[in-house]
Amino acid sequence: MTTIQYDQDGLIPVIIQNAETKEVLTLAYANEEAVQKTMDTNETWLYSRSRKELWNKGATSGNTQQVTAVRLDCDGDSLIYEVIPNGPACHTGKDSCFFETIHGERNESPGDMFAQLTSLIKTREEEMPEGAYTTYLFEEGVDKICKKVGEEAAEVIIAAKNRDAQELSMETADLFYHVLVLLQEQKVGISQVVDVLKERHAVKTTSK
């Protein structure tokens, strides 16, 4: 097993990554104590080089991170904390510190899009801005949301029967959106759905 290699200052760089979307959230540093506290508590602990002290991510801001895994690279000189964030990782309020593209064009993965939409739906439910369609759905409640899911599912079927790729794409997008609203209303995270898919895939893989 590879051992952790700290530098001459007793530190190791830590890449913090969203465990669900795999988006890189920030780069920080940790010492041996911070790494151990992270693994003991499943919370993000780091070392501030400017303040010369340990710090627990979210202790003051409330933007905590649940650590699901700590990964070590092949040389043992850098770590990845895979986390489920409770709020933005960046002090600017952005989800990730790496929000500025200085060359080329950033390609968003399907996971990125689902994460952004899920976050927006959650914010809509919390703030309930007047005039927003999502606000209307939450105000109407679960019966209305379920009805819309059923209607959009029917539209997907019709589009498929019509062999209309553009229509199918649009209706599927509508269905996905309304399902995400329903999941939020029921307080079921999309990660829970993904966990079920992973479990089923693992069973099928091991049964071959």
Side-chain angles (χ1 to χ4, degrees):
M1 180 177 177
T2 307
T3 57
I4 299 177
Q5 304 294 323
Y6 296 94
D7 65 17
Q8 65 272 16
D9 297 318
L11 301 176
I12 187 169
V14 178
I15 298 166
I16 299 177
Q17 181 183 42
N18 188 309
E20 297 174 342
T21 67
K22 303 307 177 185
E23 181 180 18
V24 174
L25 302 179
T26 192
L27 170 67
Y29 289 83
N31 61 8
E32 186 174 2
E33 183 181 2
V35 172
Q36 190 59 54
K37 286 178 75 70
T38 296
M39 293 191 290
D40 288 343
T41 65
N42 291 324
E43 297 177 356
T44 297
W45 282 88
L46 301 162
Y47 183 83
S48 171
R49 293 177 297 170
S50 59
R51 299 193 304 270
K52 309 293 184 185
E53 64 182 14
L54 293 180
W55 62 285
N56 180 206
K57 173 64 178 172
T60 55
S61 67
N63 299 324
T64 56
Q65 296 172 345
Q66 176 190 347
V67 179
T68 60
V70 176
R71 295 165 54 195
L72 180 65
D73 86 329
C74 57
D75 294 322
D77 57 5
S78 61
L79 293 170
I80 292 177
Y81 289 177
E82 292 192 352
V83 307
I84 298 175
N86 179 34
C90 184
H91 72 280
T92 64
K94 299 286 188 179
D95 289 337
S96 168
C97 292
F98 298 97
F99 58 84
E100 186 175 358
T101 301
I102 62 173
H103 178 73
E105 184 177 349
R106 181 177 183 270
N107 292 319
E108 291 189 345
S109 69
D112 291 335
M113 186 66 253
F114 273 105
Q116 291 174 22
L117 184 54
T118 300
S119 177
L120 176 61
I121 290 170
K122 183 175 183 293
T123 301
R124 286 285 192 268
E125 185 186 35
E126 292 170 348
E127 300 178 355
M128 299 292 277
E130 186 177 352
Y133 177 65
T134 310
T135 298
Y136 162 74
L137 289 175
F138 284 125
E139 287 176 340
E140 291 295 308
V142 66
D143 288 346
K144 180 65 174 181
I145 298 169
C146 287
K147 181 181 178 182
K148 290 300 297 182
V149 169
E151 289 174 355
E152 298 303 339
E155 294 292 342
V156 167
I157 293 170
I158 293 170
K161 295 289 286 183
N162 290 339
R163 299 287 182 177
D164 189 324
Q166 183 176 2
E167 182 185 358
L168 180 59
S169 298
M170 294 175 63
E171 298 301 343
T172 302
D174 288 343
L175 176 60
F176 283 176
Y177 160 76
H178 286 93
V179 168
L180 290 176
V181 172
L182 180 61
L183 291 176
Q184 179 61 36
E185 196 277 339
Q186 297 283 304
K187 301 300 177 286
V188 175
I190 192 169
S191 60
Q192 293 173 253
V193 179
V194 173
D195 286 344
V196 173
L197 292 172
K198 287 180 179 177
E199 183 178 349
R200 291 176 179 175
H201 175 70
V203 169
K204 289 181 179 180
T205 301
T206 54
S207 64
K208 285 184 178 180

